[in-house]
Amino acid sequence: QSALAQPRSVSGSPGQSVTISCSGTSSDVGKYEYVSWYQQHPGTAPKLLIYDVTQRPSGVPDRFSGSKSGNTASLTISGLQAEDEGDYYCCSHAGISYVFGTGTTVTVL
Amino acid sequence: QVQLQESGPGLVKPSETLSLTCIVSGGSISSRSHFWAWIRQPPGKGLEWIGSINYSGRTYYNPSLRGRVTLSVDTSKNQLSLRVMSVTATDSAVYFCSREDEGSSRRDWGQGTLVTVSS
């Protein structure tokens, strides 16, 4: 199984919106409503932002939203803030396994 | 709230077996609503799902690692274990223990433990 494709980096100014794409196949992202998104800062464990494509755990700001169309999932960060800088990973169920995305570094200009 | 704590040797020699344990607190490893997984991240690289196991021992493994990896659970100690055989430098990574919700993509994470493969 191949890693899901994400852009290497995205950037935006404070207050702007950025969207991170996560491209898979009809065997993972396109087949299951089990896509999740994680934020990771250096030296720490990933933090769950979105699960089941669109669901936000309690405590995650509503600035973070998820969606999916076909074989591509997306994470949108609205009203970008300095603390949103970090690495972001998508993850999809793939039948009897899970596959992660290649990761995207978000930079706040 | 479940807490996951990984432990094991930080240094393993090439060709040997890497063994890690994860102690679960604030939740039962016998839960029928969860799977328990291992995920790793080589230094400076992305995340890789290794495999998962449930309370009854049903396991799923990453096809790329199948044959070298074994997951197990010890319900009496409320812990899960990972063994990776015949390690090479490419197995050097931070290894995370994780709880997966069955029927959902929700996931809780441990803080991770760094394992370096070197002679």
Side-chain angles (χ1 to χ4, degrees), chain B residues 97-114:
Chain B
C97 172
S98 171
R99 184 181 76 169
E100 305 172 343
D101 284 13
E102 188 158 18
S104 165
S105 55
R106 275 192 65 104
R107 182 185 301 279
D108 296 293
W109 299 71
Q111 65 184 26
T113 187
L114 175 64

Side-chain angles (χ1 to χ4, degrees), chain A residues 38 40 45 51-52 89 96-97, chain B residues 41 60 105-107 109-110:
Chain A
Y38 301 90
Q40 188 179 33
Y51 68 97
D52 296 352
Y89 294 91
I96 57 172
S97 63
Chain B
Q41 185 173 36
Y60 299 101
S105 55
R106 275 192 65 104
R107 182 185 301 279
W109 299 71

Side-chain angles (χ1 to χ4, degrees), chain A residues 24-47:
Chain A
T25 70
S26 57
S27 297
D28 40 59
V29 175
K31 186 171 183 178
Y32 301 99
E33 299 301 304
Y34 294 145
V35 176
S36 52
W37 288 91
Y38 301 90
Q39 176 193 62
Q40 188 179 33
H41 291 126
T44 67
K47 172 188 175 184

Side-chain angles (χ1 to χ4, degrees), chain B residues 7-23:
Chain B
S7 63
L11 182 65
V12 181
K13 289 182 168 55
S15 81
E16 294 189 345
T17 296
L18 180 163
S19 296
L20 298 175
T21 59
C22 173
I23 294 177

